Each structure stands twice: as C-alpha cells, then as structure tokens.
Amino acid sequence: MADALTQLGFASWLSVLIASIIKVTLILVGGSVGMMFLTWYERRSISYMQDRRGPNRVGPQGLLQPISEAIKTMTKEDATPRDADKIVHFLAPVVMLGATVLSFAVIPWGRMFPVDLNAAVLFVIATGGLHSIGMMMAGWGSNNKFALLGGMRGVAQLISYEIPQVMAIIPVVLMTGSMSLQKIVEAQNDFAGLGWYVFSPVGLLGFALFFTASLAEGERTPFDIPEADSEIIAGYMTEYSGMKFAVFYLSNYMSNLAVCFITATLYLGGGNGPGVDALGGIAGGLLSLIYFLLKSFALFFVMVLIRATVPRLRVDQLMSFAWKFLLPLVLVNILSASFWVALLRWDQQWPKLTEWFGAPSTADATNWGRLAIAIVLTLLINAGAVALIMRLTNRNVQKHLYTTDEELALGLS
Amino acid sequence: MTLSHLATEDVFVVERNDADFRGGQGMTKGLGIVFRKFRKALFGKPNSDRADTEGQFNVQYPEERLAIPEAYRNMPILLYDDATGHELCTSCFQCERICPPQVIHITQAKDPATGKPVPAAAKFVLEYDTCMSCGYCAEVCPFDAIKMDHDFELSTANHPELDVDYNRLLRPVSYYETIAPTMWSEVKEQAMKKLQNNIKRRPGDIGRDHGQKIKGGAPVAAAATPAAGAAPAAGAAKPRGPVAAIGKNMSEDKTAKLLAIRAANAAKRGGGAADAAPVAQAAPVVETVADAPAAASAAPTGPVAAIGQNMSEDKRAKLEAIRAAKRAQRGE
C-alpha cells in the first residue's frame, strides 16, 4: 500500500505513515466489529443449544443487540473502589486490550496480511503472554479478595497453558520450516488448496492440543476458573463496571477471535481452499477471506458447543490436565513431527536415502510412498501416545477416587 | 475423602472398569447431545405446547400469549352489577382486616340525610404497589365484590398511579364472567341475591356513584367499563383487560381531554339536550366507545347498563319523588 501511495506522489515517509494509519484503523475496526458479531453469535448459538432463542429483537435477528449493549455499558457509571490502586486499576483493561490488539497486527485476513513478520508465531505467543500482566494488575489494583484470587488463578492458568500451547505450534513450524504466518499458509496450499495441516496425523493432534490449550488461554469454559462466577463472583473483573468492564469484555472476545483466526491459519490452511488460486486477484482474495471467516467461525462454534456441554474444571484438575495430559502429548507430537519432516525431506538430512528413494518434492510414485510411510508412522506414534496417556490418566483418577481406611491408618493421603 | 463414618449401605460405589479404555467417549457423547439440541431448536418445529422434550419452548410473549388459567390472580378488582350499576361492595371491612400487607383502605358510605352507615363504600383505595396478590381479600369477601384480575401488564413510570381508587378498581360483573366463568357461576346466585338486599338499603345514588367520574367530573371509568360490559351482551369480541384500562393507563389530563372531545362530539350530534345533566352526558360517551353493538342503545331504553343511564328523565324524576316522599315519611 505504501508503494502505491509513493507512486501517487506522496513523500515516502508520508506514504508509510498514511498506509500504517489506514491499516491500524482497519485492524481495530475489523477486530471490534468481529468481536461484536462474536458476542451475538455466541449468544444466539448457545441459546439454541439450550432450547431458547436468544437476542432476536434489536435489529434483524437481533444483530444490532451488541450495539445497544455497547451504548448501555458506555453510559453506565464507572466506579473505582475507594481503596483501589487507582492507576493500576485504570491501566489493567488498557494493558489487556493492548495485548489483544497487538496480536491482530500479524493475523491474516484470508490472504491479506497486515504485517508479515518472519517470527509472527512468536509474536502472537508473546502478546498473548501479556494478558497475564493485565490480569494480575486488575486483580491487585482492585483491592478486593475475589479480584486478587481471580487474578492469581488467571496467571497460574495462563502460565501453565502457555507451555502446551507454544509447544503445540512447534510441529507446524517444523513442517513449514518458518515462523512466518504467510509461509505457513502458503505451505498448506497443496492438493488444490486442501493440503491443510489438520489432515495429517501430526497436524490433527497438534490442532486438538493447540485448540484445547487456547481455550484455557482465552478463559473459555471449561477453563474459566479465573472468572468462576459461583466461587469468586467475576474474578479479576469483579470491581470493574461501565466502560472499563466493556474493555475487558472486548479484550476477552477479541482474544477469542484471535485464537480462532490463528488456529484456522496454523492448522486449517488460513484462506486456502478450492478455487482461490483459480480465481486469483481480488476475487480470489475475497473468496479466501470468506473461507477464512467460515473456518474461524466454525471453530468458534465448537468453542460455544464446548461451553454449553462441559462443566468447569477444578483447579487441580486444570493443572493436572495441562501438565500430565497435554504436555506429554505435545512432546510426542514434536517427535512425530520430526519423523514426518525427516521422512518427507530426507535428502536434506540424510543424502543416502535420496539415492534409494529419489529426491523429494517430485510427484512420482516413490514420493507418494514416502508420504504414506510418514502418515502411517506418525499415526502410529500419535495414536499410541494418546491411548497410553488417556489410560494412565484414567488409572490415576481411579486411584485417587477413594482413600482406603488402610491408607488413612498409615497416614497417607 | 474418607468414607469410614458412613454406614456401608450408604456408600454407593460407581464401578469403573480399569481395563476399559474410554477415549473421550463421554465428552463426544455430551457434545453430540448438545449439538442435537441445537439442531432441533434451530430447524425443528416449534414446541410451545411442550409435546416434545426438545425444540423451541419459548413463547414469544408480546405476540404470543399462554392462556391464563381461570384461577390465576394478579391484582384485586371490585365488581359492579351491569344492569343496575350498583357496586357489590358493602364496606364490611373483611378484606381490609385480612389483608396481610394492609393495602386496602375503605371508607364506609353514610346516608347524607341521617348520617347512618349504608352498606356501600364511599371510598375504596388499594395500593397496587404493595399488594402481594395473595387473594385473601377475594377469599374472605362475603359479597363476592372483590375478585382477582387477570391483567398483569400494569407497569408504569408514574408511581402514585399505583394507589388505585374506587373508580379505577371497578369492573362490571360481565367482565369477571368472561375471565372466570365457572368461578363466577358458582357464586353468582347468592352474590346477586345479597346485592338485591343491599340495594334496598342504599338511599339515592349511594352505591352506584363511582366508576363514572374522576377529577373534574369527567366520566372516565363509565366510558371504559361499560365498553367492556356491553360487548359480550352484543355477542361481539371478547372484552380484554386492556380495553377496560383506557382510563387507567392514560395520564389524567389526557383522559380528561379525550373525554371532553367525546362529550363535545356527542353534544354536536345529540343537540343541546345532551348537556342537560352529567348523567345524560355520559350516555353518548358510552356509545362512542362501545361502538356498533352498543350504538344501537343510544335510545334511553337500550341495553347499555351504565349507572343510571338507562333511566329516562321522567322515570328518574319519578324515583326522586318517591324517595323524597319516603324521607318525608321518616320525618326529616
């Protein structure tokens, strides 16, 4: 965009500035409108899951409901507790929203990339990590026991789930050979736009693990312990009202949107789909945007479905799920991703194999054979690991269901 | 968790087979159930009669309404007889006494000539804002004068409006008959019998002088309530709460204005004779509100049963003469 403006006769610094402002505006507007749509979408779909109808009065099918809610929150009183740390209390929602909006800088909209960082994946994870700071600020600054408990829980949860989340991305980075989201999307464009990573055993497991960990990162049910209403009111948001509460809400839903977008980009091929390459140009870009939004909102529907189905976990269940279930599986997935990469690109790793099987990236019989071998091998590894760890978890749960009298007598437990 | 304090038969142990591999089957099953719910609610047929356990249960309230059961009770109302316009209330104070939140306030009517109490209420105020809809007043009333209404859309921005006075409490018996036919038929006979007895003890207009005028003498409730009463008599559309509530939901000056316009219209049509008495003025008002079926009753002998309106002037004069004679007989 900056180049086009320079050609129009603007000075180069000015054209960069104008292009950046336009991009920032588009991202902010797109993010907020997406968030507004998301709240409506979630409320409508969860209503139907609960045999209700949801907001359907304001505007066509209730689509304008988020706008009325926005006006409502903006006109509400903005109360700050007397003993709160005023500055921290004020800054917490800003930090939360800032962290979310930053991650939108690299998120692609279909095939349109606001910024193509070469370490975009890292950037997304890093900005996601900023959430815990905002949460802790809100919890501490409110000077409220429930807020502090919520903030502590939130930070503990975010730190625990960042590890499986980051490590679930490593297979994708390994398979692509790059951390750039644009390269990751391009790498999934084989098979007429359907070569998504989710169709490989490594990608499937990675998708499931990443999505689950992201649910916890976005504090979605069943991982909404920081906001557990029945225990600690609204967690770190307890002392917030009016516009500040709305900013928290905005940041939460925007980060959920970001999670859906990133999952769609990493595992579901981003804007790739049949027909995008054939159309090309602006039409192809629009089609890719439609594909991308469809994938993202389908993912969000799964989030809502999980919210409507699964009850909230306990804190210890949450932690053991992260460390005893997700983490081992993620490690195994990295292992099988390494096998996958080694098998599909073995000329780079082991030239001797090229002599036997021929060079990779050629669509001949031996290459299909290699693909088949890679699929079978990684499938065996992953399925075996899932079965083993599920069984171990099962037995572990079984063991701790009861404390026997002998154990009590021995002073165990 | 320790179970040692429990008797053995109290412990329910759920056997879970260790060897059984449950690869997230419970989770997938649960998600499947929720998704089926979603599908049925979104694409299935409406289920507002609760015939099925799945689907849309919602009743879209302002457009769709559930039928209200006959014994439903919201706020108390007072009844008056369609034919004579006499109120059923005798101010026996039973309801005022039993009312748990003490929101009923009655002033007994007195014979202006003798100063003796008359079986009728001069004032009747009910605080709707504090009423708890227990229905004790309707239970206890020996004259079946106070009944529980079905109209529940009473929200207002004007709080003082919720201190409802006699004029706005009165509904015709025929209105109550439409909302609770069997309940009324059970008590109808004795109620009307008691009313006839009471009418004999009510001198003059006492006992039927409410429900037709509020501030400024504008015949408000008379305009509204006979409309509700006249319709079933004509076999026309069912009268509903909102119809009877014309004077209730409007601000008072607005109502007064409306009635002034109606009175003016009526005067134009009926000529100067309509202005002769406020009673006569009320009759055309009824006519305009009650519309076609009641319009036939514009003649003084028509079936419209507003208070004193079905009497012709000479009949009324005759009645007054008889009463004056009686008073003279009693030596006043």
Side-chain angles (χ1 to χ4, degrees), chain A residues 23-35 101 103-115 181 185 254 257-258 261-262 265 269-272 284-293 296-297:
Chain A
K23 274 181 188 171
V24 167
T25 315
L26 281 179
I27 290 169
L28 284 177
V29 170
S32 337
V33 170
M35 170 266 174
V101 170
S103 67
F104 268 82
V106 294
I107 289 171
W109 295 76
R111 287 195 172 175
M112 290 174 280
F113 293 83
V115 179
L181 285 175
V185 172
M254 272 175 84
L257 191 67
F261 281 179
I262 288 166
T265 308
N272 291 334
L286 278 178
L287 186 64
S288 78
L289 182 62
I290 291 168
Y291 276 139
F292 181 65
L293 290 179
S296 308
F297 288 129

Side-chain angles (χ1 to χ4, degrees), chain B residues 183-223:
Chain B
M183 282 165 72
W184 180 247
S185 66
E186 281 165 17
V187 295
K188 184 180 180 179
E189 206 175 314
Q190 55 162 350
M192 292 329 259
K193 204 171 153 193
K194 283 176 184 170
L195 177 68
Q196 294 311 317
N197 288 335
N198 285 321
I199 289 174
K200 286 177 199 154
R201 294 160 58 200
R202 288 174 177 173
D205 260 351
I206 289 174
R208 54 178 167 176
D209 50 354
H210 295 99
Q212 50 179 329
K213 44 188 177 294
I214 55 169
K215 214 188 288 173
V220 173

Side-chain angles (χ1 to χ4, degrees), chain A residues 55-377:
Chain A
N56 57 6
R57 297 273 160 174
V58 191
Q61 288 295 313
L63 264 172
L64 299 181
Q65 184 75 32
I67 293 173
S68 93
E69 307 272 328
I71 292 168
K72 188 198 83 179
T73 43
M74 273 184 228
T75 49
K76 268 184 142 179
E77 187 193 355
D78 178 23
T80 310
R82 193 192 58 205
D83 294 332
D85 190 333
K86 300 270 184 325
I87 298 167
V88 177
H89 187 264
F90 174 76
L91 280 180
V94 180
V95 170
M96 288 280 272
L97 187 65
T100 316
V101 170
L102 273 181
S103 67
F104 268 82
V106 294
I107 289 171
W109 295 76
R111 287 195 172 175
M112 290 174 280
F113 293 83
V115 179
D116 184 33
L117 285 185
N118 55 6
V121 172
L122 211 57
F123 181 80
V124 166
I125 297 301
T127 51
L130 283 177
H131 275 278
S132 52
I133 297 176
M135 231 179 249
M136 199 61 223
M137 282 169 78
W140 180 258
S142 298
N143 199 5
N144 174 316
K145 57 177 178 277
F146 296 117
L148 188 58
L149 274 174
M152 303 281 263
R153 285 178 177 199
V155 172
Q157 176 177 327
L158 253 61
I159 288 174
S160 304
Y161 276 83
E162 245 161 37
I163 293 163
Q165 196 192 18
V166 175
M167 290 176 95
I169 302 181
I170 292 179
V172 172
V173 175
L174 274 177
M175 289 195 287
T176 315
S178 169
M179 281 195 184
S180 151
L181 285 175
Q182 190 160 9
K183 291 240 172 61
I184 289 174
V185 172
E186 278 165 12
Q188 301 179 65
N189 203 16
D190 308 330
F191 305 105
L194 281 174
W196 309 346
Y197 283 146
V198 76
F199 296 138
S200 67
V202 177
L204 183 63
L205 185 60
F207 168 72
L209 295 172
F210 179 77
F211 194 61
T212 316
S214 299
L215 283 182
E217 283 281 300
E219 298 146 44
R220 300 279 312 178
T221 333
F223 305 108
D224 58 346
I225 289 175
E227 296 162 40
D229 324 42
S230 52
E231 300 155 26
I232 48 172
I233 309 177
Y236 57 89
M237 288 198 275
T238 304
E239 290 291 357
Y240 284 89
S241 59
M243 202 53 214
K244 283 185 203 153
F245 178 81
V247 169
F248 267 120
Y249 206 67
L250 180 72
S251 133
N252 266 356
Y253 272 85
M254 272 175 84
S255 70
N256 287 337
L257 191 67
V259 159
C260 292
F261 281 179
I262 288 166
T263 317
T265 308
L266 291 179
Y267 297 97
L268 301 181
N272 291 334
V276 174
D277 282 327
L279 273 173
I282 294 173
L286 278 178
L287 186 64
S288 78
L289 182 62
I290 291 168
Y291 276 139
F292 181 65
L293 290 179
L294 277 180
K295 288 169 191 174
S296 308
F297 288 129
L299 279 176
F300 191 72
F301 182 80
V302 176
M303 278 186 166
V304 177
L305 194 64
I306 290 172
R307 181 184 158 192
T309 311
V310 188
R312 188 184 306 126
L313 295 181
R314 256 183 355 240
V315 178
D316 63 318
Q317 287 170 333
L318 179 93
M319 288 298 163
S320 62
F321 186 69
W323 296 103
K324 293 182 188 168
F325 187 83
L326 289 183
L327 194 59
L329 282 179
V330 160
L331 290 172
V332 169
N333 202 29
I334 294 174
L335 178 75
S336 57
S338 319
F339 276 118
W340 176 274
V341 173
L343 281 165
L344 288 184
R345 300 202 197 134
W346 52 35
D347 63 325
Q348 289 155 26
Q349 273 80 29
W350 198 0
K352 190 129 198 157
L353 285 171
T354 319
E355 292 172 22
W356 301 343
F357 288 101
S361 308
T362 48
D364 54 8
T366 49
N367 259 322
W368 289 113
R370 272 194 296 201
L371 191 61
I373 293 170
I375 287 176
V376 169
L377 182 65

